[in-house]
Structures are given as structure tokens and as C-alpha cells.
Amino acid sequence: MKKLLGLSIVATTLLFTYACKGKVQEEEKTTNIVAETTEKKAEAKPVSNEFKKYWYNGTAEITSYKLEQARYGELRNGSAVLVYVTEPFSATKQVKADYPDKTNIPVLKLNSTKKFYTGIYPYSVMSSTFYPVADNSNSIKITNSVQEWCGQVFSQLNNKDKFEISSFSYFESEGDKTFSLDKNILENDLWAKIRIDPTSLPTGNLDVIPSFQYIRFSHKKLKAYKANITKTSKDNLTIYSLDYPELQRNLSITFTTAFPHTIESFTETHKSGFGANIKMLTTKATLNKRINTAYWQQNGNKDLHFRDSLGL
């Protein structure tokens, strides 16, 4: 009898787990749930009905951009894609939750990708940011990977008592490392804050940890740098700009002032190249196309036309 009862429990658990697979997020009633972690959080910000209607409708927002990427002292043509979607995130395991739990944290996930060529060989870059919808703490987790024919590199940040970093690289000087950073503003977070509540974006002369992609491309030390941050609005657009004097780098993100604060373009100016080829260049991403769709369900050959809808 006990054996049958045990098998019944296992079967029920498996059925429940599979039933929850592929679910985008819990209903908006869970949006303000914030799990207790080692980080002291501010009060969760209320979520508007407008936000719920846009971000909890069972789809993701996918935007493609025409890309001019600075690499090795030259500009390369390519494409960039920003994928925003809400989903439940495990506070304890710091991974996407497979099933409902009262400790799950609703996050706005951003998967940011770039693809371009440097001469004969291709580059593929991806960053993932998992930022609480409550907008009351740093991201729970950030990852970044770069693949090209020389090899691949990967970095991961986990938000614990400090920022815990794991870094892996085929470069001897960068090697395999694990270390901690004191908590500061994360540049990766700002892309999510724009979409949730741009009025809360920090401005002034502040300590900011640059994007993981920039750190990889520039081979700079991952740490906080001083940045002069400004926000200006004109017509229907707002420009959010970070200027890092020590890095001689500027990042500017242009988004619609009105909700849903879509990212219309972004630029990044910094030194590119080595030795005699080093020069100041500006990477540019210009809006191509945008769709809202449940892309995770569109993985058949019959769904290839969605790539045409994105101009990819």
C-alpha cells in the first residue's frame, strides 16, 4: 500500500511539473511577491494595470536592430535582437522556476543578442539579465557569453550577500576565476529599469559596473567605474546616457518616453582596436522591426516566417 501511495505521489508530481512547463509566468496576482533573500530590499513598487496588460499577456516583445559593431578598429555590419519577457524566477536556485512557489520572484528577463562578422569568422554574443519586476533590488542573475572561431568565454553574476562572479575564458590572462564584488549599479540592470519605471533611473556621478559584454570586448577589469549619467527628453523620446571618463566610453539608449518605453536605438562609443589601429568608434543599433509573440512555441519549420517579420 505504501509503495502504491509513493508511486501515486511521484506520478502526480510529474504531471504537475509537466503541466507547468512552458508557462510564461504566473498571473499578475503574483507580481508583488518578493522572496526573502540575503539582500535587504526596498518596498516593492506597485505594478500598473497598463504594465500587467502588456507584460502578462502570454507573449514576449522581440525587437531587431540593424547593427554597426565596432571590433578590432573597424565597424562591422550585423544584427542585434532584444527579447523582453516576464517569467517566474527561483529565489533560492536563481534559475527559471519550473512550477509555482510562493518564494518565486517575478522578473523581467532581457535576452540581448548580437551577430556580426570579423573578416572570415563570425561573432555571436548573448547577455541575459533577470531583473525583479518589483524594481527594488539588483538583478538576481546576469550571464554573458561570446562565441567566435578563436574560442568562447562565459561570465555569470549571482546576487547574494555580494555579487558572486564566475568567469571562464580561453585567454590565459583571463582564465577561470571566481570572485566577489561589492554591490553597485549594474549597467545591465538599466535596460530593464527603462522598461519598468524610467522615472527611477539613477542620474548623477555614480559608481557603475559596466556591461559584461563591454568588459569582455575591452579586456578591462570587472569592477565599478565612475559614470556621469544623464537623462534628457525631446518630443516623444528620452535619451539615457552613461559617460565613463576613465574608460573613455559613452553608452546612450533612446527609448519612447510613453509606456511601454520601447528601445528605439542605442549607441556605444569607445576605443576599438590595438596598437596603431586603435581609434574611437561608435557602435550603432537602429530599429528594424518589432513583434510581440510567444516565440518559445514557434519552433517548427512552419514558423520560419516569423524571422521575416523581424527582418532577420
Side-chain angles (χ1 to χ4, degrees):
M1 183 67 179
K2 288 183 179 179
K3 185 176 181 181
L4 289 174
L5 180 60
L7 289 172
S8 177
I9 291 172
V10 170
T12 302
T13 301
L14 288 172
L15 179 61
F16 179 74
T17 301
Y18 281 119
C20 293
K21 291 282 188 180
K23 187 173 183 180
V24 186
Q25 66 281 310
E26 287 298 280
E27 295 299 323
E28 60 266 21
K29 65 181 180 181
T30 66
T31 302
N32 289 322
I33 293 176
V34 179
E36 291 296 325
T37 66
T38 54
E39 181 179 4
K40 185 178 180 181
K41 295 181 175 66
E43 185 178 349
K45 293 182 180 178
V47 178
S48 68
N49 288 330
E50 187 178 37
F51 184 94
K52 295 174 186 177
K53 183 177 180 180
Y54 189 82
W55 290 112
Y56 289 95
N57 63 6
T59 66
E61 179 197 273
I62 309 172
T63 309
S64 65
Y65 301 85
K66 295 179 180 178
L67 178 68
E68 293 180 46
Q69 177 68 48
R71 192 71 179 132
Y72 304 133
E74 296 182 90
L75 291 175
R76 323 295 180 139
N77 292 326
S79 63
V81 177
L82 298 183
V83 182
Y84 283 97
V85 64
T86 52
E87 64 184 26
F89 209 72
S90 169
T92 54
K93 296 180 180 179
Q94 298 199 343
V95 292
K96 182 181 182 296
D98 285 336
Y99 53 88
D101 188 277
K102 66 180 180 180
T103 64
N104 288 347
I105 301 175
V107 299
L108 180 62
K109 178 178 72 175
L110 168 60
N111 282 336
S112 171
T113 69
K114 288 182 176 180
K115 291 186 181 295
F116 57 93
Y117 289 86
T118 50
I120 190 175
Y121 62 94
Y123 258 84
S124 179
V125 185
M126 181 172 181
S127 297
S128 296
T129 303
F130 304 88
Y131 188 79
V133 171
D135 194 23
N136 62 344
S137 75
N138 295 108
S139 282
I140 306 168
K141 185 177 182 177
I142 296 173
T143 62
N144 173 259
S145 63
V146 181
Q147 300 85 36
E148 37 98 358
W149 283 2
C150 293
Q152 57 186 316
V153 295
F154 177 79
S155 299
Q156 178 169 304
L157 175 150
N158 288 91
N159 186 353
K160 298 185 178 179
D161 287 329
K162 291 188 172 184
F163 291 148
E164 302 296 334
I165 312 295
S166 300
S167 180
F168 305 93
S169 174
Y170 62 88
F171 287 112
E172 180 182 2
S173 60
E174 295 177 349
D176 294 353
K177 301 177 181 178
T178 57
F179 57 96
S180 300
L181 289 178
D182 290 333
K183 293 185 180 181
N184 278 294
I185 297 168
L186 291 161
E187 183 182 305
N188 287 70
D189 286 3
L190 302 175
W191 295 79
K193 286 183 71 68
I194 287 172
R195 306 308 309 274
I196 296 172
D197 180 16
T199 64
S200 70
L201 288 167
T203 58
N205 189 27
L206 303 170
D207 291 325
V208 181
I209 299 173
S211 72
F212 282 31
Q213 180 204 290
Y214 169 75
I215 293 297
R216 281 302 192 185
F217 276 16
S218 64
H219 303 288
K220 299 290 186 182
K221 183 177 180 179
L222 181 61
K223 66 172 189 175
Y225 296 83
K226 284 292 182 185
N228 298 313
I229 310 177
T230 60
K231 183 173 62 172
T232 57
S233 297
K234 185 178 180 181
D235 297 327
N236 299 318
L237 299 175
T238 297
I239 300 174
Y240 190 60
S241 182
L242 293 85
D243 189 71
Y244 297 87
E246 182 180 347
L247 300 175
Q248 297 183 355
R249 172 178 177 253
N250 176 274
L251 170 69
S252 292
I253 307 169
T254 300
F255 60 92
T256 55
T257 304
F259 185 85
H261 316 299
T262 51
I263 308 296
E264 299 300 290
S265 65
F266 50 94
T267 64
E268 182 183 4
T269 301
H270 58 81
K271 287 184 177 180
S272 178
F274 302 98
N277 284 334
I278 196 167
K279 63 189 70 172
M280 294 295 292
L281 291 176
T282 299
T283 293
K284 297 179 181 178
T286 307
L287 178 65
N288 187 13
K289 295 184 179 182
R290 177 178 293 120
I291 63 174
N292 291 70
T293 188
Y295 68 88
W296 53 92
Q297 298 173 356
Q298 297 154 351
N299 51 23
N301 286 333
K302 63 181 176 57
D303 300 310
L304 285 170
H305 67 91
F306 284 106
R307 295 188 62 78
D308 294 332
S309 300
L310 285 164
L312 296 174

